Amino acid sequence: MFLRTRREAVSPAEVGLPTGSRRRTPGLRRAELATLAGVSVEYLTRLEQGRDRRPSARVLSTLADVLRLTIGERVHLYRLTKAAEGFSCTGGTPFPLRSVRATVRALLAGLEPAPAVLLNRLGEVLAHTSGYQRLAGPLGLLDGEPPNLARFVFTDDRARAAYPDWEHVADEQVAALKQGPFRADPHIAALVDELTVTAGASFAQRVATVPGVPRNSGTTRVVHPGAGELRLAYETLDLTADDQRILVHLPADEATAAALDRLAAPGPRALRAVSG
């Protein structure tokens, strides 16, 4: 019913089709949507009637693109299909750990005032320093429940403004998801399917082409609403036993160091720019 409702809400003109004067169907005809999405009319009929319970993420993404679905509508479509097939992330692969050991919290506290964040293999934000709150909070990165770095980069419009080198950041997020078992991990596979639907081609094309070898260190640019453009060197600290990682950011130049100090004022100590 949801697909049919959205199909009937899209005018032929919106997708480049002639309007005509004898149309009795509101919005797109089923055959028109099927052609635009590259599926058969019979298959689309089964989808609309809820009789096909296993549509691929790529098919859902294509339908979502043609129907001009919003992010919220894409998530709804994804959840509808997963609920219909009784989707579950059970089996032999444990759910990514969301608890944080006391010693890891102490380590994060020792990294203050540097922006540092603890992530699990899904890219979920589990804990962070107050320095990371000052950096990422105004960007909108911590708004999710739980916040997820990959979801933010691919589905939040603010991400492209926050990261001037968004293409590179997006590549790195996909590389992080693809390392290890990737789709053999049902929890990663579920997130990948979701983002294929919600983010569309910008995500799906990277899944097909970006190797699963993320960089453990590098430099990234961030545009902060209160501090301007920042150049941040980052290092990744792997916590293998917990299947988690700490991402630590340090100022890559003196201007960034001064900007972070202003954000932290009256912070406990100044951040110095790293060289090299």
Side-chain angles (χ1 to χ4, degrees):
M1 179 62 73
F2 175 73
L3 275 176
R4 179 180 175 180
T5 300
R6 295 309 306 144
R7 171 170 62 82
E8 293 177 347
V10 176
S11 71
E14 289 181 90
V15 294
L17 295 176
T19 302
S21 58
R22 297 186 176 182
R23 300 184 66 93
R24 293 181 296 175
T25 303
L28 295 178
R29 297 186 178 102
R30 187 175 284 156
E32 292 170 333
L33 176 56
T35 298
L36 291 168
V39 299
S40 69
V41 175
E42 293 76 13
Y43 182 64
L44 180 58
T45 301
R46 294 199 303 272
L47 283 178
E48 289 190 349
Q49 295 175 351
R51 292 189 288 114
D52 190 299
R53 309 233 170 185
R54 296 183 179 275
S56 70
R58 191 171 293 276
V59 166
L60 292 178
S61 176
T62 302
L63 286 169
D65 288 343
V66 173
L67 294 174
R68 308 293 200 268
L69 298 189
T70 65
I71 291 296
E73 289 169 338
R74 287 169 183 258
V75 171
H76 180 63
L77 175 62
Y78 170 80
R79 289 173 176 168
L80 279 177
T81 57
K82 292 307 175 185
E85 70 177 55
F87 177 74
S88 173
C89 272
T90 58
T93 307
F95 195 89
L97 193 65
R98 284 177 172 164
S99 59
V100 183
R101 291 187 288 115
T103 50
V104 176
R105 290 193 182 277
L107 175 58
L108 283 172
L111 291 171
E112 294 283 8
V117 58
L118 177 68
L119 306 165
N120 63 14
R121 70 177 185 269
L122 290 178
E124 293 176 335
V125 175
L126 307 177
H128 51 77
T129 61
S130 57
Y132 191 80
Q133 173 71 49
R134 292 188 291 270
L135 173 68
L139 304 180
L141 199 157
L142 300 178
D143 290 352
E145 188 56 47
N148 183 290
L149 190 52
R151 280 199 187 96
F152 174 75
V153 168
F154 282 101
T155 67
D156 196 311
D157 291 339
R158 294 172 291 185
R160 291 180 183 263
Y163 296 112
D165 305 312
W166 183 89
E167 299 286 343
H168 171 72
V169 173
D171 286 349
E172 286 299 295
Q173 287 306 305
V174 170
L177 290 175
K178 289 184 68 175
Q179 66 179 332
F182 191 40
R183 281 192 176 277
D185 179 335
H187 316 288
I188 294 290
L191 178 60
V192 169
D193 283 352
E194 175 196 326
L195 291 176
T196 299
V197 175
T198 56
S202 65
F203 180 79
Q205 290 173 358
R206 285 179 166 82
V207 170
T209 59
V210 172
V213 187
R215 297 181 181 179
N216 288 324
S217 62
T219 302
T220 188
R221 291 189 298 157
V222 173
V223 176
H224 188 280
E229 183 172 309
L230 308 173
R231 291 185 65 250
L232 297 164
Y234 64 87
E235 290 287 342
T236 305
L237 311 178
D238 286 319
L239 304 178
T240 307
D242 300 320
D243 201 9
Q244 297 172 348
R245 66 189 188 275
I246 295 177
L247 194 61
V248 185
H249 297 84
L250 296 169
D253 54 37
E254 293 298 337
T256 299
L260 291 178
D261 283 344
R262 289 193 296 272
L263 287 177
R269 58 186 183 276
L271 283 171
R272 298 180 61 184
V274 296
S275 60

